[in-house]
């Protein structure tokens, strides 16, 4: 972790813990703040199964972000990552991403895969700066205001 990011995280009092079902009202608040087409609460509820890892990003006592990862054999699939809009660009998302990657490695996964909206340049740049590389596209993967938007498929191979 770079010294600058470490200082930002320390100054923000950020920590990660497991997400629990009682966090869902706050998760839904963040989901609606963060996405034009948010997941319904039922999708989050379906993620409380053994093959999922759900992480809560805390700033002091406040939940300010979350990540949802699905483990499939030896691959971690980052399904959803979100931080409060006020924390974007300050290292909070990077901190949460690095935590999810580190936990995936610790759990024996060999790579992490994700999809990101083609239009989400900031997220794609973050992922690329953390070692993810684009390996393809999924046409019409995401809903958008005019129909569908392509997804970039990115992977980070740990080995």
């Amino acid at each position: 972790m770079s010294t600058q990011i470490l200082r930002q995280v320390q100054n923000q009092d950020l920590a990660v813990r497991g997400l629990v079902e009682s966090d869902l009202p706050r998760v839904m608040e963040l989901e609606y703040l963060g996405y034009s087409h948010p997941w319904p609460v039922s999708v989050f509820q379906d993620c409380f199964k053994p093959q999922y890892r759900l992480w809560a990003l805390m700033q002091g006592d406040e939940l300010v972000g979350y990540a949802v990862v699905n483990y499939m054999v030896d691959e971690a699939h980052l399904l959803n990552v979100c931080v409060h809009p006020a924390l974007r660009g300050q290292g909070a998302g990077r901190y949460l991403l690095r935590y999810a990657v580190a936990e995936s490695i610790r759990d024996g996964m060999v790579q992490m895969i994700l999809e990101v909206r083609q239009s989400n340049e900031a997220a794609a740049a973050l992922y690329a700066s953390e070692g993810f590389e684009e390996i393809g596209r999924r046409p019409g993967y995401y809903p958008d205001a005019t129909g569908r938007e392509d997804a970039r498929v990115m992977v980070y191979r740990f080995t």
Side-chain angles (χ1 to χ4, degrees):
M1 183 180 291
S2 76
T3 305
Q4 179 184 7
I5 292 169
L6 181 59
R7 272 194 231 107
Q8 287 174 332
V9 168
Q10 288 171 335
N11 290 341
Q12 295 172 358
D13 189 27
L14 295 175
V16 179
R17 65 161 171 79
L19 192 71
V20 294
E21 286 193 66
S22 62
D23 292 325
L24 289 180
R26 177 61 177 160
V27 165
M28 294 310 300
E29 288 177 31
L30 294 173
E31 184 77 0
Y32 278 91
L33 283 173
Y35 295 113
S36 60
H37 293 79
W39 282 7
V41 70
S42 60
V43 171
F44 285 101
Q45 290 167 330
D46 286 344
C47 293
F48 285 93
K49 295 177 180 165
Q51 71 270 27
Y52 289 88
R53 301 297 180 270
L54 295 93
W55 304 113
L57 179 65
M58 304 299 295
Q59 185 174 46
D61 292 334
E62 184 179 3
L63 195 153
V64 295
Y66 54 86
V68 177
V69 180
N70 183 19
Y71 285 1
M72 297 174 283
V73 187
D74 60 357
E75 180 178 273
H77 190 167
L78 181 62
L79 298 173
N80 194 335
V81 62
C82 182
V83 297
H84 192 284
L87 293 177
R88 291 187 186 152
Q90 298 180 34
R94 185 178 305 273
Y95 179 76
L96 183 56
L97 177 63
R98 286 181 175 178
Y99 187 92
V101 166
E103 286 296 308
S104 297
I105 293 168
R106 188 182 64 78
D107 289 340
M109 301 293 110
V110 300
Q111 66 183 14
M112 180 176 278
I113 192 167
L114 60 84
E115 292 86 15
V116 61
R117 284 182 182 271
Q118 182 176 314
S119 63
N120 194 343
E121 295 291 336
L126 168 64
Y127 298 135
S129 74
E130 288 298 313
F132 286 81
E133 60 182 299
E134 186 172 328
I135 58 170
R137 300 279 173 132
R138 296 193 198 277
Y141 187 77
Y142 289 107
D144 71 8
T146 61
R148 307 293 297 179
E149 179 179 356
D150 291 355
R152 299 175 189 196
V153 181
M154 302 182 81
V155 67
Y156 180 5
R157 293 178 180 91
F158 305 147
T159 55

